[in-house]
């Protein structure tokens, strides 16, 4: 059951009650799953070299969590590593349980080395594939895993039951300590080194040194249909994905069902998931599953390698067939894919809007103060890279989380003046004046009353360089009404809005030199970060936070903080 949004608050309240009754009726079958996550250093050998990588329970990738819609998860996290850590349950709505969302200094202080914290939350009205990952510095380079949400007991998929299910988690590997990589970039002000490999389920595949014997095999039987769940867990790179000689029928994304469509290539930004059906209808053999970069930033360095796994028909021993992949900068293929999504069931999209925001997002340059050492200003022309939304480069608090400050009314932690539109109107995707390249810094939030109907025009900019940004909003799914290239024009582009069957996502691919429009109803109290899911960009400040007030009803209020909430 997908969540639906109403056009009026009255209908919205009725729908909330219906959802509540539906949830109560399903409690009889709901289960509580208890897990222990131990964050620890583990020796992991890739590309001929062994690293002391941060893992969960010694596994890379980490454990897969398998639940049914309506189930509750209780996950006790113990940090035995040398870095701070938090865990984010990417895409989980966290209705009234913002304390369990996980982003460092947004909803909690980090779990310090030697500390622990128990995350408790319920899966409500979501089915499909989500994932979990660390949300502290670059720890998520190796600390991540899948969340598979099956339908409630007694319910089935809205498509014929597949013969088997397979999980493909795409990752990114550095032949170094990822924390050292980002710390070096923070010191110099330059962009961090690009990765050395991409991975499928933790393994680089046949095309990398010292990797062939561990290449992942995905078994199939002739004539069978497989449900393949694909997650992009890479740190900083959108990825094209394909399987040689096989068509992929997309049936879900970000734990929402979509109208099926067939494609040969997927494009996933970091954070996004896609569920596909694949029929093993080719001659018995072995076929490469492959992924490589969609790199939209002109002139920016990127990892141009290709990760592979092998789709292996029963008893096949032949040499794997390699599929063609799109060119690295093939924006046309990426756009064809991202604009093909439609919600399976008819949603009720909010048409009356209480908050209409226009948010620019992109990179920037900070001029170095006089007498700054050149080694600390190694971005172009002796500067430091930054990023911003509406010219505000987001700064995380350091002594208390924003949620604690909001809940306990602690002053001085954040300000509520995040602008609803950019301070200056300019040709966002054109030749931007250098006077607009340096943003201001601040911990600014935007406040929303419970039940507010929100529209956001996300507008990419061409400051320093334009690129595709995967924008993720915590605590919510949202409808993607439209996307396009150039500067958003309300007079002409509003006519392109899909108000009939827009897809419901938690992460939207903002087109390079383009725009996207999303809508949601603020029905979840708490503090919710919206950020670029390229981790290099969130560190530079490409983020902002919505603070959503409690609603009047008992199920519309933020729960009290748990007693073991970490302290700063």
């Amino acid at each position: 059951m997908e969540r639906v949004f109403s056009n009026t608050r009255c209908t919205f309240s009725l729908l909330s009650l219906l959802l509540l009754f539906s949830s109560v009726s399903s409690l009889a079958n709901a289960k509580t799953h208890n897990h222990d996550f131990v964050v620890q250093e583990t020796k992991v050998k890739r590309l001929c070299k062994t690293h002391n990588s941060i893992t969960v329970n010694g596994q890379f990738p980490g454990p897969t969590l398998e639940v049914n819609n309506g189930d509750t998860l209780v996950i006790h996290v113990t940090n035995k590593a040398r870095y701070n850590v938090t865990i984010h349950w990417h895409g989980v709505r966290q209705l009234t349980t913002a304390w369990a969302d996980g982003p460092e200094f947004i909803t909690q202080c980090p779990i310090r080395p030697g500390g622990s914290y128990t995350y408790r939350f319920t899966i409500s009205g979501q089915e499909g594939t989500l994932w979990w990952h660390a949300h502290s510095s670059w720890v998520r380079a190796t600390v991540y895993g899948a969340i598979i949400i099956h339908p409630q007991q007694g319910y089935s998929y809205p498509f014929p039951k597949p013969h088997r299910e397979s999980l493909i988690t795409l990752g990114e590997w550095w032949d170094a300590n990822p924390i050292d990589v980002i710390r070096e970039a923070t010191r110099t002000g330059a962009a961090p080194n690009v990765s050395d490999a991409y991975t499928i389920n933790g393994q680089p595949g046949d095309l990398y040194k010292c990797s062939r014997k561990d290449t992942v095999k995905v078994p199939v039987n002739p004539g069978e249909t497989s449900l393949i769940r694909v997650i992009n867990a890479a740190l900083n790179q959108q990825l094209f994905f394909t399987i040689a000689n096989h068509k992929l029928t997309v049936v879900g994304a970000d734990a929402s069902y979509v109208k099926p469509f067939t494609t040969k290539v997927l494009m996933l930004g970091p954070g996004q998931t896609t569920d596909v059906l694949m029929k093993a209808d080719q001659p018995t053999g072995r076929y490469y599953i492959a992924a490589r970069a969609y790199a939209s930033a002109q002139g920016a360095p990127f990892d141009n390698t290709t990760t592979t796994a092998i789709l292996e028909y029963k008893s096949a021993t032949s040499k794997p067939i390699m599929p063609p992949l799109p060119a690295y900068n093939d924006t046309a293929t990426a756009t064809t894919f991202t604009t093909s999504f439609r919600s399976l069931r008819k949603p009720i999209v909010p048409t009356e809007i209480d908050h209409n925001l226009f948010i620019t997002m992109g990179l920037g340059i900070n001029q170095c103060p006089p007498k700054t050492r050149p080694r600390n200003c190694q971005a172009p022309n002796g500067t430091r890279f930054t990023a911003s939304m509406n010219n505000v480069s987001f700064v995380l608090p350091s002594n208390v989380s924003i949620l604690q400050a909001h809940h306990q009314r602690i002053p001085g932690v954040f300000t509520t003046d995040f602008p609803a539109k950019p301070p200056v109107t300019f040709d966002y995707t054109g030749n931007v004046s250098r006077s607009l390249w340096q943003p201001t810094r601040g911990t600014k939030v935007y406040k929303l009353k419970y039940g507010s109907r929100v529209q956001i025009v996300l507008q990419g900019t061409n400051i320093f360089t334009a690129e595709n940004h995967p924008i993720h909003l915590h605590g919510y799914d949202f409808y993607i009404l439209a996307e396009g290239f150039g500067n958003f024009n309300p007079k002409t582009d509003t006519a392109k809005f899909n108000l009939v069957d827009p897809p419901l996502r938690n992460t939207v691919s903002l087109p390079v030199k383009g725009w996207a429009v999303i809508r949601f109803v603020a029905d979840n109290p708490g503090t919710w970060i919206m950020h670029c899911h390229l981790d290099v960009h969130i560190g530079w400040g490409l983020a902002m936070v919505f603070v959503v007030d409690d609603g009047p009803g008992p199920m519309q209020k933020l729960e009290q903080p748990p007693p073991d909430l970490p302290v700063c």
Side-chain angles (χ1 to χ4, degrees), residues 395-443:
V395 179
L396 286 170
S398 57
N399 296 319
V400 68
S401 74
I402 291 178
L403 185 59
Q404 288 169 287
H406 166 64
H407 184 70
Q408 299 171 17
R409 293 181 169 82
I410 301 171
V413 177
F414 60 83
T415 58
T416 57
D417 56 345
F418 181 85
K421 61 182 181 180
V424 177
T425 301
F426 58 98
D427 181 4
Y428 308 111
T429 56
N431 204 353
V432 183
S433 166
R434 293 291 180 107
S435 64
L436 299 172
W437 284 31
Q438 180 157 328
T440 59
R441 287 165 52 84
T443 309

Short mmCIF file of all heavy atoms in Angstrom, two decimals, residues 395-443:
data_model
loop_
_atom_site.label_atom_id
_atom_site.label_comp_id
_atom_site.label_asym_id
_atom_site.label_seq_id
_atom_site.Cartn_x
_atom_site.Cartn_y
_atom_site.Cartn_z
N VAL A 395 26.18 24.14 7.45
CA VAL A 395 27.18 23.80 8.46
C VAL A 395 26.51 22.95 9.54
O VAL A 395 25.51 23.37 10.14
CB VAL A 395 27.78 25.07 9.11
CG1 VAL A 395 28.80 24.70 10.17
CG2 VAL A 395 28.40 25.97 8.05
N LEU A 396 27.03 21.77 9.78
CA LEU A 396 26.50 20.91 10.84
C LEU A 396 26.82 21.50 12.21
O LEU A 396 27.91 22.05 12.41
CB LEU A 396 27.11 19.52 10.76
CG LEU A 396 26.64 18.58 9.65
CD1 LEU A 396 27.54 17.35 9.61
CD2 LEU A 396 25.20 18.17 9.85
N PRO A 397 25.90 21.38 13.18
CA PRO A 397 26.26 21.72 14.56
C PRO A 397 27.32 20.73 15.06
O PRO A 397 27.58 19.71 14.42
CB PRO A 397 24.95 21.55 15.34
CG PRO A 397 23.88 21.36 14.34
CD PRO A 397 24.52 20.89 13.06
N SER A 398 27.90 21.02 16.21
CA SER A 398 28.93 20.13 16.73
C SER A 398 28.71 19.73 18.18
O SER A 398 29.34 18.78 18.66
CB SER A 398 30.32 20.78 16.60
OG SER A 398 30.34 22.03 17.27
N ASN A 399 27.81 20.42 18.89
CA ASN A 399 27.63 20.15 20.31
C ASN A 399 26.29 19.52 20.66
O ASN A 399 26.11 18.99 21.76
CB ASN A 399 27.79 21.45 21.12
CG ASN A 399 29.19 22.00 21.00
OD1 ASN A 399 30.16 21.24 21.03
ND2 ASN A 399 29.30 23.31 20.85
N VAL A 400 25.35 19.57 19.73
CA VAL A 400 24.02 19.00 19.96
C VAL A 400 23.38 18.82 18.59
O VAL A 400 23.71 19.54 17.65
CB VAL A 400 23.17 19.93 20.87
CG1 VAL A 400 22.83 21.24 20.15
CG2 VAL A 400 21.91 19.24 21.34
N SER A 401 22.47 17.86 18.47
CA SER A 401 21.80 17.66 17.18
C SER A 401 20.69 18.70 17.01
O SER A 401 20.17 19.26 17.98
CB SER A 401 21.22 16.26 17.08
OG SER A 401 20.06 16.12 17.88
N ILE A 402 20.32 18.94 15.75
CA ILE A 402 19.24 19.89 15.47
C ILE A 402 17.92 19.39 16.06
O ILE A 402 17.13 20.19 16.57
CB ILE A 402 19.14 20.12 13.95
CG1 ILE A 402 20.37 20.89 13.46
CG2 ILE A 402 17.86 20.88 13.58
CD1 ILE A 402 20.41 21.14 11.96
N LEU A 403 17.69 18.08 16.03
CA LEU A 403 16.45 17.54 16.59
C LEU A 403 16.38 17.77 18.10
O LEU A 403 15.33 18.14 18.64
CB LEU A 403 16.32 16.04 16.27
CG LEU A 403 15.01 15.38 16.69
CD1 LEU A 403 13.82 16.05 16.03
CD2 LEU A 403 15.03 13.89 16.36
N GLN A 404 17.49 17.57 18.79
CA GLN A 404 17.52 17.84 20.24
C GLN A 404 17.29 19.32 20.52
O GLN A 404 16.54 19.68 21.43
CB GLN A 404 18.85 17.39 20.84
CG GLN A 404 19.02 15.88 20.91
CD GLN A 404 20.45 15.50 21.26
OE1 GLN A 404 21.36 15.62 20.44
NE2 GLN A 404 20.66 15.04 22.48
N ALA A 405 17.93 20.16 19.72
CA ALA A 405 17.78 21.60 19.92
C ALA A 405 16.33 22.03 19.69
O ALA A 405 15.79 22.87 20.42
CB ALA A 405 18.72 22.36 19.00
N HIS A 406 15.70 21.45 18.67
CA HIS A 406 14.30 21.75 18.37
C HIS A 406 13.38 21.24 19.48
O HIS A 406 12.52 21.97 19.99
CB HIS A 406 13.92 21.12 17.03
CG HIS A 406 12.46 21.05 16.75
ND1 HIS A 406 11.66 22.17 16.61
CD2 HIS A 406 11.62 19.97 16.59
CE1 HIS A 406 10.41 21.80 16.37
NE2 HIS A 406 10.36 20.47 16.36
N HIS A 407 13.59 19.99 19.88
CA HIS A 407 12.71 19.35 20.87
C HIS A 407 12.86 19.99 22.25
O HIS A 407 11.86 20.17 22.96
CB HIS A 407 13.05 17.86 20.93
CG HIS A 407 12.16 17.06 21.83
ND1 HIS A 407 10.84 16.80 21.55
CD2 HIS A 407 12.40 16.46 23.04
CE1 HIS A 407 10.31 16.08 22.52
NE2 HIS A 407 11.23 15.86 23.43
N GLN A 408 14.08 20.34 22.61
CA GLN A 408 14.34 20.88 23.95
C GLN A 408 14.40 22.41 23.95
O GLN A 408 14.73 23.01 24.98
CB GLN A 408 15.66 20.30 24.48
CG GLN A 408 15.63 18.78 24.61
CD GLN A 408 17.01 18.20 24.92
OE1 GLN A 408 17.92 18.91 25.34
NE2 GLN A 408 17.16 16.90 24.70
N ARG A 409 14.15 23.01 22.79
CA ARG A 409 14.16 24.47 22.63
C ARG A 409 15.50 25.07 23.10
O ARG A 409 15.54 26.05 23.86
CB ARG A 409 13.00 25.11 23.38
CG ARG A 409 11.63 24.76 22.79
CD ARG A 409 10.49 25.43 23.55
NE ARG A 409 9.23 25.29 22.83
CZ ARG A 409 8.44 24.22 22.88
NH1 ARG A 409 8.82 23.17 23.61
NH2 ARG A 409 7.31 24.17 22.21
N ILE A 410 16.58 24.47 22.61
CA ILE A 410 17.92 24.98 22.93
C ILE A 410 18.27 26.08 21.93
O ILE A 410 18.31 25.83 20.72
CB ILE A 410 18.96 23.85 22.87
CG1 ILE A 410 18.60 22.73 23.85
CG2 ILE A 410 20.36 24.38 23.15
CD1 ILE A 410 19.47 21.48 23.70
N PRO A 411 18.50 27.29 22.39
CA PRO A 411 18.78 28.39 21.45
C PRO A 411 20.22 28.34 20.92
O PRO A 411 21.10 27.69 21.50
CB PRO A 411 18.57 29.63 22.30
CG PRO A 411 18.91 29.18 23.70
CD PRO A 411 18.49 27.74 23.79
N GLY A 412 20.42 29.02 19.80
CA GLY A 412 21.76 29.23 19.27
C GLY A 412 22.32 28.10 18.44
O GLY A 412 23.48 28.17 18.00
N VAL A 413 21.54 27.04 18.21
CA VAL A 413 22.05 25.90 17.44
C VAL A 413 21.78 26.07 15.95
O VAL A 413 22.59 25.73 15.10
CB VAL A 413 21.44 24.58 17.96
CG1 VAL A 413 21.92 23.38 17.12
CG2 VAL A 413 21.79 24.37 19.42
N PHE A 414 20.60 26.59 15.63
CA PHE A 414 20.24 26.83 14.23
C PHE A 414 19.39 28.09 14.15
O PHE A 414 18.85 28.57 15.15
CB PHE A 414 19.50 25.63 13.64
CG PHE A 414 18.20 25.28 14.32
CD1 PHE A 414 17.02 25.95 14.02
CD2 PHE A 414 18.16 24.28 15.29
CE1 PHE A 414 15.83 25.63 14.66
CE2 PHE A 414 16.97 23.95 15.93
CZ PHE A 414 15.80 24.64 15.62
N THR A 415 19.24 28.61 12.94
CA THR A 415 18.33 29.72 12.69
C THR A 415 17.25 29.25 11.72
O THR A 415 17.46 28.29 10.96
CB THR A 415 19.07 30.94 12.10
OG1 THR A 415 19.71 30.55 10.87
CG2 THR A 415 20.13 31.45 13.07
N THR A 416 16.10 29.91 11.74
CA THR A 416 14.95 29.47 10.94
C THR A 416 14.77 30.34 9.70
O THR A 416 13.65 30.53 9.22
CB THR A 416 13.68 29.49 11.79
OG1 THR A 416 13.48 30.82 12.30
CG2 THR A 416 13.77 28.51 12.95
N ASP A 417 15.86 30.85 9.16
CA ASP A 417 15.76 31.78 8.04
C ASP A 417 16.32 31.22 6.74
O ASP A 417 16.83 31.97 5.90
CB ASP A 417 16.47 33.10 8.40
CG ASP A 417 17.94 32.90 8.80
OD1 ASP A 417 18.33 31.75 9.09
OD2 ASP A 417 18.68 33.90 8.84
N PHE A 418 16.22 29.88 6.55
CA PHE A 418 16.60 29.38 5.23
C PHE A 418 15.68 30.01 4.20
O PHE A 418 14.45 29.95 4.34
CB PHE A 418 16.51 27.85 5.16
CG PHE A 418 16.92 27.32 3.81
CD1 PHE A 418 18.27 27.09 3.54
CD2 PHE A 418 15.99 27.08 2.81
CE1 PHE A 418 18.67 26.63 2.28
CE2 PHE A 418 16.38 26.63 1.55
CZ PHE A 418 17.72 26.40 1.29
N PRO A 419 16.24 30.60 3.14
CA PRO A 419 15.40 31.35 2.19
C PRO A 419 14.57 30.44 1.30
O PRO A 419 15.03 29.39 0.84
CB PRO A 419 16.43 32.14 1.36
CG PRO A 419 17.71 31.37 1.48
CD PRO A 419 17.68 30.69 2.83
N ALA A 420 13.33 30.85 1.04
CA ALA A 420 12.42 30.08 0.18
C ALA A 420 12.73 30.27 -1.30
O ALA A 420 12.18 29.55 -2.14
CB ALA A 420 10.97 30.48 0.46
N LYS A 421 13.61 31.21 -1.59
CA LYS A 421 14.05 31.43 -2.97
C LYS A 421 15.47 31.97 -2.92
O LYS A 421 15.91 32.46 -1.87
CB LYS A 421 13.11 32.39 -3.70
CG LYS A 421 13.02 33.76 -3.08
CD LYS A 421 12.04 34.65 -3.83
CE LYS A 421 11.97 36.04 -3.19
NZ LYS A 421 11.01 36.92 -3.91
N PRO A 422 16.21 31.89 -4.02
CA PRO A 422 17.60 32.39 -3.98
C PRO A 422 17.62 33.90 -3.74
O PRO A 422 16.69 34.61 -4.17
CB PRO A 422 18.15 32.03 -5.37
CG PRO A 422 16.96 31.77 -6.22
CD PRO A 422 15.87 31.30 -5.32
N PRO A 423 18.64 34.39 -3.04
CA PRO A 423 18.70 35.82 -2.74
C PRO A 423 18.84 36.70 -3.98
O PRO A 423 18.45 37.87 -3.96
CB PRO A 423 19.91 35.95 -1.82
CG PRO A 423 20.72 34.71 -2.06
CD PRO A 423 19.76 33.65 -2.45
N VAL A 424 19.38 36.11 -5.05
CA VAL A 424 19.57 36.84 -6.30
C VAL A 424 19.04 35.98 -7.44
O VAL A 424 19.31 34.77 -7.49
CB VAL A 424 21.07 37.17 -6.55
CG1 VAL A 424 21.26 37.87 -7.88
CG2 VAL A 424 21.62 38.02 -5.42
N THR A 425 18.29 36.58 -8.35
CA THR A 425 17.85 35.87 -9.56
C THR A 425 18.92 36.05 -10.63
O THR A 425 19.39 37.17 -10.88
CB THR A 425 16.51 36.44 -10.06
OG1 THR A 425 15.54 36.28 -9.01
CG2 THR A 425 16.04 35.70 -11.29
N PHE A 426 19.33 34.93 -11.25
CA PHE A 426 20.35 35.02 -12.30
C PHE A 426 20.12 33.90 -13.31
O PHE A 426 19.19 33.09 -13.17
CB PHE A 426 21.77 34.95 -11.70
CG PHE A 426 22.06 33.70 -10.90
CD1 PHE A 426 22.73 32.63 -11.46
CD2 PHE A 426 21.69 33.61 -9.55
CE1 PHE A 426 23.02 31.49 -10.72
CE2 PHE A 426 21.97 32.48 -8.80
CZ PHE A 426 22.63 31.41 -9.39
N ASP A 427 20.92 33.87 -14.35
CA ASP A 427 20.81 32.81 -15.37
C ASP A 427 21.49 31.57 -14.79
O ASP A 427 22.69 31.35 -14.97
CB ASP A 427 21.49 33.27 -16.66
CG ASP A 427 21.40 32.22 -17.77
OD1 ASP A 427 20.76 31.18 -17.55
OD2 ASP A 427 21.99 32.45 -18.84
N TYR A 428 20.71 30.74 -14.08
CA TYR A 428 21.26 29.68 -13.24
C TYR A 428 22.12 28.69 -14.02
O TYR A 428 23.14 28.21 -13.52
CB TYR A 428 20.12 28.92 -12.54
CG TYR A 428 19.16 29.83 -11.82
CD1 TYR A 428 17.86 30.01 -12.30
CD2 TYR A 428 19.54 30.54 -10.69
CE1 TYR A 428 16.97 30.86 -11.65
CE2 TYR A 428 18.68 31.38 -10.04
CZ TYR A 428 17.39 31.55 -10.53
OH TYR A 428 16.52 32.39 -9.89
N THR A 429 21.72 28.36 -15.23
CA THR A 429 22.44 27.34 -16.00
C THR A 429 23.27 27.96 -17.12
O THR A 429 23.79 27.25 -17.97
CB THR A 429 21.45 26.32 -16.60
OG1 THR A 429 20.48 27.02 -17.39
CG2 THR A 429 20.74 25.56 -15.49
N GLY A 430 23.41 29.27 -17.10
CA GLY A 430 24.21 29.96 -18.12
C GLY A 430 25.61 30.26 -17.63
O GLY A 430 26.19 29.51 -16.84
N ASN A 431 26.14 31.37 -18.07
CA ASN A 431 27.49 31.80 -17.69
C ASN A 431 27.35 32.64 -16.42
O ASN A 431 27.00 33.81 -16.49
CB ASN A 431 28.11 32.61 -18.83
CG ASN A 431 29.62 32.57 -18.78
OD1 ASN A 431 30.19 32.05 -17.83
ND2 ASN A 431 30.26 33.14 -19.78
N VAL A 432 27.60 32.03 -15.26
CA VAL A 432 27.31 32.68 -13.98
C VAL A 432 28.45 33.60 -13.56
O VAL A 432 29.62 33.21 -13.58
CB VAL A 432 27.05 31.62 -12.88
CG1 VAL A 432 26.68 32.30 -11.56
CG2 VAL A 432 25.94 30.67 -13.31
N SER A 433 28.09 34.82 -13.18
CA SER A 433 29.08 35.80 -12.75
C SER A 433 29.90 35.27 -11.57
O SER A 433 29.36 34.66 -10.64
CB SER A 433 28.37 37.09 -12.35
OG SER A 433 29.25 37.94 -11.63
N ARG A 434 31.20 35.53 -11.60
CA ARG A 434 32.07 35.08 -10.51
C ARG A 434 31.66 35.68 -9.16
O ARG A 434 31.97 35.12 -8.11
CB ARG A 434 33.53 35.46 -10.80
CG ARG A 434 34.17 34.74 -11.98
CD ARG A 434 34.38 33.28 -11.67
NE ARG A 434 34.99 32.55 -12.78
CZ ARG A 434 36.25 32.11 -12.80
NH1 ARG A 434 37.03 32.35 -11.77
NH2 ARG A 434 36.70 31.45 -13.84
N SER A 435 30.96 36.79 -9.18
CA SER A 435 30.54 37.41 -7.92
C SER A 435 29.52 36.56 -7.18
O SER A 435 29.24 36.79 -6.00
CB SER A 435 29.95 38.80 -8.19
OG SER A 435 28.75 38.69 -8.97
N LEU A 436 28.94 35.55 -7.86
CA LEU A 436 27.93 34.68 -7.25
C LEU A 436 28.48 33.32 -6.87
O LEU A 436 27.73 32.43 -6.48
CB LEU A 436 26.75 34.52 -8.22
CG LEU A 436 26.01 35.80 -8.60
CD1 LEU A 436 25.00 35.52 -9.70
CD2 LEU A 436 25.32 36.40 -7.38
N TRP A 437 29.78 33.13 -6.98
CA TRP A 437 30.36 31.81 -6.77
C TRP A 437 30.60 31.50 -5.29
O TRP A 437 30.79 30.35 -4.94
CB TRP A 437 31.68 31.68 -7.54
CG TRP A 437 31.50 31.47 -9.00
CD1 TRP A 437 30.49 31.93 -9.79
CD2 TRP A 437 32.37 30.74 -9.88
NE1 TRP A 437 30.68 31.54 -11.10
CE2 TRP A 437 31.82 30.81 -11.18
CE3 TRP A 437 33.57 30.05 -9.69
CZ2 TRP A 437 32.43 30.21 -12.28
CZ3 TRP A 437 34.18 29.45 -10.79
CH2 TRP A 437 33.61 29.53 -12.07
N GLN A 438 30.65 32.52 -4.42
CA GLN A 438 30.99 32.28 -3.01
C GLN A 438 29.75 32.41 -2.14
O GLN A 438 29.21 33.50 -1.98
CB GLN A 438 32.08 33.25 -2.53
CG GLN A 438 32.45 33.02 -1.06
CD GLN A 438 33.83 33.52 -0.71
OE1 GLN A 438 34.74 33.49 -1.53
NE2 GLN A 438 34.02 33.95 0.53
N PRO A 439 29.27 31.29 -1.56
CA PRO A 439 28.07 31.34 -0.72
C PRO A 439 28.39 31.79 0.70
O PRO A 439 29.55 31.90 1.10
CB PRO A 439 27.58 29.89 -0.73
CG PRO A 439 28.85 29.09 -0.85
CD PRO A 439 29.78 29.91 -1.70
N THR A 440 27.32 32.02 1.46
CA THR A 440 27.47 32.26 2.90
C THR A 440 27.34 30.93 3.62
O THR A 440 26.79 29.96 3.10
CB THR A 440 26.39 33.23 3.41
OG1 THR A 440 25.10 32.66 3.15
CG2 THR A 440 26.49 34.57 2.70
N ARG A 441 27.85 30.85 4.84
CA ARG A 441 27.79 29.63 5.64
C ARG A 441 26.75 29.80 6.74
O ARG A 441 26.57 30.89 7.26
CB ARG A 441 29.15 29.32 6.27
CG ARG A 441 30.19 28.82 5.28
CD ARG A 441 31.60 28.89 5.85
NE ARG A 441 31.75 28.25 7.14
CZ ARG A 441 31.97 26.94 7.33
NH1 ARG A 441 32.05 26.14 6.29
NH2 ARG A 441 32.12 26.44 8.54
N GLY A 442 26.06 28.70 7.06
CA GLY A 442 25.10 28.81 8.15
C GLY A 442 24.38 27.51 8.40
O GLY A 442 24.35 26.61 7.55
N THR A 443 23.80 27.40 9.60
CA THR A 443 22.96 26.26 9.96
C THR A 443 21.52 26.75 9.94
O THR A 443 20.92 27.05 10.97
CB THR A 443 23.35 25.73 11.36
OG1 THR A 443 24.77 25.52 11.40
CG2 THR A 443 22.65 24.40 11.66
#
